[in-house]
Amino acid sequence: MQWWKKKCIERCEIVPSEGFFGDQKYLDQMPKLFSNVCDITTPGVNIGIWNDLKFQFHEDDGAVYVNKDRLIFYHFCGLRIVNKNKIELIFNQKYVPFIFEYYQQKLQESIDLAEKIDPTFNGYASEEDLKRYW
């Protein structure tokens, strides 16, 4: 974790032609550099815009499935929380709408809880940040 933190501080930008994609490309190196680190191959994990077209998604009894396995997490790339009611996907993603809608609802519930604990909560990306970085 310390190595990854150091690398992210050194350079954390999106320049795919140079092998940089925020903090993510450093993770690709970790299984080669460190023992006891491996890629997760569990079905329903590591689903995102880079591979979601390979899968079939459906809902069943309140759960989301990817092919026949329950979806454990979907990686929303470029998601920015501007405020509780404005959660945006920066990249033009071919996401499954019901997954984003469910996630957006859970984020709003989490923000409600954070505001109850700390009424001054303001952990949002600013409109200026959105324009500057994207």
Side-chain angles (χ1 to χ4, degrees):
M1 292 300 295
Q2 291 300 320
W3 174 86
W4 182 62
K5 177 182 175 181
K6 180 181 174 199
K7 292 304 227 179
C8 290
I9 290 170
E10 285 175 10
R11 185 170 184 188
C12 194
E13 55 190 335
I14 298 175
V15 187
S17 62
E18 295 180 27
F20 292 95
F21 200 84
D23 63 338
Q24 296 299 300
K25 295 306 277 181
Y26 298 119
L27 298 174
D28 292 346
Q29 298 174 38
M30 293 180 84
K32 297 171 198 141
L33 297 173
F34 304 100
S35 61
N36 296 323
V37 174
C38 63
D39 290 332
I40 299 172
T41 59
T42 304
V45 172
N46 200 29
I47 311 296
I49 63 171
W50 56 87
N51 66 4
D52 68 1
L53 295 177
K54 297 188 318 187
F55 302 103
Q56 297 294 315
F57 294 88
H58 69 280
E59 286 181 278
D60 187 14
D61 199 25
V64 176
Y65 288 81
V66 53
N67 295 341
K68 63 181 173 58
D69 300 297
R70 190 168 183 163
L71 179 67
I72 297 171
F73 70 82
Y74 185 97
H75 185 120
F76 285 105
C77 184
L79 184 130
R80 296 294 179 266
I81 304 171
V82 179
N83 63 52
K84 183 173 24 181
N85 299 308
K86 187 174 182 182
I87 299 170
E88 296 185 354
L89 293 170
I90 303 303
F91 299 116
N92 184 15
Q93 299 186 41
K94 296 181 192 275
Y95 63 89
V96 179
F98 64 86
I99 296 172
F100 179 66
E101 291 166 8
Y102 178 79
Y103 190 60
Q104 187 174 23
Q105 174 191 346
K106 293 300 177 187
L107 284 171
Q108 289 168 331
E109 290 172 8
S110 296
I111 292 168
D112 285 340
L113 180 60
E115 289 174 341
K116 285 179 184 172
I117 295 168
D118 179 2
T120 64
F121 173 78
N122 186 16
Y124 306 112
S126 69
E127 293 282 354
E128 294 77 30
D129 287 340
L130 293 174
K131 291 174 188 171
R132 180 175 19 166
Y133 294 110
W134 311 103

